[in-house]
Amino acid sequence: MSGFDCDVLIAGMGPVGAMLGVLLEQEGLSAIAIDKDTEVYPLPRAAHFDSEVMRIFQAAGVAEAVLPHTQQTDRYDFRNAAGELLMSFGMSPTSPSGWASGYMFHQPAAEVALRDRFAALGGQARLGCKLESFVQDAEGVTAKLVGPDGPQTVRARYLVGCDGGRSTVREQLGLTLDDLQFDEPWLVIDVKVGPKANLPKVNLQVCDPARPTTCVLMGPGRHRWEFMLLPGETAEQVVEDGFIEALMSKWDAGDIEVERRAVYRFHGLVAHQWRKGRVILAGDSAHQTPPFAGQGMCAGLRDAANLAWKLGAVLKAGADDRLLDTYQQERDPHVRGFIGLAIGMGRVVCTLDPEAAEARDAQMLAQMASGAPPLPPAGAPPLQGGLLMSGAP
């Protein structure tokens, strides 16, 4: 590999970047992963992953390390302000993958497992290191970094931007986002659960026009609430102790300790272009989804699984690098399918007009009574495009 420091430079070492690094090393490629932070972010972020993603964890050799940091529930219920069931999604303990259909989990523990695996495979992590700029040519990418030891240069055959919603890689490539017209501010409250806590055993969306609310399990010993901000409320106001205490008092949660409070904007966005030459986007840098279907991190890990073997085929087996164009061709419609589902769920939840909410409730209750699904089927979108054989089972 004369003249190159690695096969692939990964900008961002969250779960997507760390997973990509592991899978690339397992392909026999050399990877350098950089991250501006020196440690795994210690608080919960993603809440859920599905059976296919557990298979990706298994393929990466970390399923047994991740499993103790998960717990399961059997349902995801949408209820109105009166507590009536509007729709429900089952979460089966078995699936065709051999794993449960869904897991609630503690993200920091999964990231630690992936980083440990990356290091064990010989991957190189440069923490506290920021991507400043890059240029590409016909053979590779030259990146300028700034780290604890000052400026440095890395020469790689490919650069993959796993650097999040405010992606430096995407910005420097000049790539734009397709706005899918969903943008709502929510307060997220994560709690540690004491032995006397009184909490729901299922995941809940409370479709109350007075305050749309989410309440879900997290990893063992943790729970999450999300409260939609109402018109006129500010991020500074809603994170104050008194405001949070008033919200939580309605839940009779008992023995809990607030671990994190933060305001997020729930977006539906997809990059128009995921690859430009030898630079590729993955995870939140390529797409962002509202959390209602629990598929944000899942989408990024699917990106890593799709991309890793293709980079291996190009760099180890001599495949034409046009193979890499199939990455977006396959992933983009799948991502958009899940984002569409999440936005559909979000629009059910985020109704603030009481009359519109009453009409929604009546329609969904009638659909429940008739057995008709109130939303398009909540299964995975079909695989299509790229190398996939159209029409094959």
Side-chain angles (χ1 to χ4, degrees), residues 363-376:
Q363 179 183 11
M364 295 182 71
L365 289 168
Q367 288 173 310
M368 281 284 292
S370 70
L375 281 173

Side-chain angles (χ1 to χ4, degrees), residues 20 23 27 56 274 299-312 323-332 334 383-388:
L20 180 62
L23 297 177
E27 289 285 336
I56 299 174
W274 298 20
L301 296 185
R302 287 184 171 95
D303 291 349
N306 187 293
L307 189 55
W309 75 264
K310 292 175 180 175
L311 284 166
L323 172 65
L324 300 176
D325 292 334
T326 68
Y327 162 61
Q328 183 178 355
Q329 291 166 9
E330 294 167 10
R331 292 293 305 128
D332 186 293
H334 195 266
L383 296 172
Q384 56 187 300
L387 298 177
L388 292 154

Side-chain angles (χ1 to χ4, degrees), residues 340-355:
L341 175 65
I343 289 176
M345 291 178 169
R347 287 181 174 147
V348 168
V349 176
C350 297
T351 302
L352 297 179
D353 180 80
E355 290 186 2

Side-chain angles (χ1 to χ4, degrees), residues 200-392:
K201 299 293 190 277
V202 301
N203 292 339
L204 292 170
Q205 293 286 356
V206 182
C207 307
D208 181 355
R211 174 81 69 182
T213 301
T214 303
C215 175
V216 297
L217 287 73
M218 298 290 286
R222 287 178 163 88
H223 218 87
R224 169 174 290 174
W225 279 262
E226 297 168 352
F227 300 95
M228 186 176 172
L229 270 64
L230 303 180
E233 293 177 342
T234 67
E236 294 76 19
Q237 172 191 1
V238 301
V239 296
E240 293 178 354
D241 287 344
F243 196 96
I244 290 173
E245 287 168 7
L247 292 175
M248 295 302 299
S249 67
K250 300 174 183 178
W251 282 86
D252 187 29
D255 189 11
I256 60 171
E257 172 193 344
V258 175
E259 185 176 27
R260 184 180 70 133
R261 61 191 79 188
V263 172
Y264 287 91
R265 299 198 76 89
F266 293 166
H267 294 297
L269 303 167
V270 182
H272 291 104
Q273 183 179 351
W274 298 20
R275 178 193 177 204
K276 196 168 184 178
R278 291 181 169 267
V279 185
I280 305 167
L281 304 178
D284 283 357
S285 66
H287 45 74
Q288 296 160 51
T289 180
F292 303 105
Q295 285 292 322
M297 186 195 72
C298 295
L301 296 185
R302 287 184 171 95
D303 291 349
N306 187 293
L307 189 55
W309 75 264
K310 292 175 180 175
L311 284 166
V314 170
L315 293 174
K316 296 291 285 187
D320 191 306
D321 85 341
R322 287 178 296 177
L323 172 65
L324 300 176
D325 292 334
T326 68
Y327 162 61
Q328 183 178 355
Q329 291 166 9
E330 294 167 10
R331 292 293 305 128
D332 186 293
H334 195 266
V335 162
R336 287 176 185 271
F338 269 127
I339 293 177
L341 175 65
I343 289 176
M345 291 178 169
R347 287 181 174 147
V348 168
V349 176
C350 297
T351 302
L352 297 179
D353 180 80
E355 290 186 2
E358 186 177 356
R360 173 205 63 200
D361 292 355
Q363 179 183 11
M364 295 182 71
L365 289 168
Q367 288 173 310
M368 281 284 292
S370 70
L375 281 173
L383 296 172
Q384 56 187 300
L387 298 177
L388 292 154
M389 191 179 299
S390 179

Side-chain angles (χ1 to χ4, degrees), residues 49 54-68 70 99 113:
F49 63 85
M54 182 56 109
R55 281 293 290 267
I56 299 174
F57 281 128
Q58 182 182 14
V62 298
E64 298 305 323
V66 170
L67 195 58
T70 68
W99 294 97

